[in-house]
Amino acid sequence: MTRRPVLAAAALVLALAGCSSTAPETTPASPTDAAGQALLERHGLEGMDTREVIDHLDRLGGEDRPSTLMASVRADELLLTEGEEELSLEMPADDLYVAVAPYVDQTHECAFHSLTTCQGELDEQEVEVTILDESGAVLVEETATTYANGFVGYWLPRDVEGTIEMTVDGQSGQVPFTTADDGLTCLTTLQMT
């Protein structure tokens, strides 16, 4: 099997799944590759670093959300795929992006957050957020609003375990997290009760 059908099949699987629960086998392009740069330019992402690309894409909603671009957040890379074009952007060494979708009734399975296809139940809802590490130290304590995709994302220190607690309209829930190399970037199991 040639590389093109494999890449097309991987992109199709990711598109149909919405969020990624497993990592497709890919051969990422170099960020300095001309095709990779063209991909960034087509989506208004040129000049942005990995953190800025993730923050930008995760906050897009509705018609602003690119329908042809797949953007999967992994522990070591942000993988951007469009058709047969692919670009891998290295994740920051000190932080990992963790996206959380609180829910009441409906959720979906997810391991690697897809910035352009994942959709949570509680979009644009005010939430109280507390993120604690394993020693009980507060990493985040704030009132936030979930994005149009129903998620809210945080850059958390690497190699930390802890708990994310959220409260929405008097209902609350919590979920464990880890930012180890095998940590999930997409948490969809935080049910509000």
Side-chain angles (χ1 to χ4, degrees):
M1 181 177 271
T2 65
R3 184 172 184 258
R4 285 185 177 181
V6 170
L7 289 177
L12 179 61
V13 167
L14 188 57
L16 294 174
C19 285
S20 176
S21 59
T22 60
E25 291 183 32
T26 59
T27 306
S30 166
T32 58
D33 179 86
Q37 291 304 317
L39 186 147
L40 293 175
E41 289 173 10
R42 274 197 308 279
H43 295 284
L45 305 172
E46 70 278 3
M48 294 184 186
D49 64 20
T50 305
R51 183 185 303 261
E52 292 167 331
V53 169
I54 290 172
D55 290 342
H56 173 76
L57 288 176
D58 211 16
R59 286 163 175 77
L60 295 178
E63 293 180 13
D64 294 331
R65 207 171 186 193
S67 61
T68 59
L69 178 67
M70 303 304 298
S72 180
V73 180
R74 315 293 176 83
D76 59 342
E77 68 178 339
L78 170 61
L79 185 61
L80 302 173
T81 307
E82 185 172 50
E84 294 180 11
E85 295 176 86
E86 188 173 277
L87 177 64
S88 174
L89 301 177
E90 188 175 348
M91 291 292 283
D94 297 333
D95 298 316
L96 180 66
Y97 190 75
V98 178
V100 187
Y103 77 98
V104 175
D105 298 313
Q106 297 178 358
T107 190
H108 61 278
E109 221 177 283
C110 188
F112 303 109
H113 185 46
S114 174
L115 301 167
T116 56
T117 61
C118 276
Q119 183 63 51
E121 177 186 35
L122 303 176
D123 59 318
E124 299 177 345
Q125 297 288 311
E126 187 173 283
V127 295
E128 298 295 325
V129 181
T130 303
I131 302 178
L132 306 171
D133 71 11
E134 64 271 15
S135 70
V138 176
L139 301 176
V140 175
E141 190 168 37
E142 69 172 9
T143 300
T145 301
T146 57
Y147 312 140
N149 64 7
F151 284 79
V152 62
Y154 291 96
W155 289 97
L156 300 174
R158 294 270 184 173
D159 299 318
V160 172
E161 293 183 9
T163 304
I164 299 173
E165 302 171 2
M166 290 189 178
T167 301
V168 179
D169 291 331
Q171 296 180 300
S172 60
Q174 64 180 19
V175 66
F177 77 92
T178 179
T179 57
D181 288 343
D182 61 349
L184 306 180
T185 63
C186 185
L187 300 177
T188 57
T189 56
L190 201 160
Q191 186 171 22
M192 303 288 101
T193 57

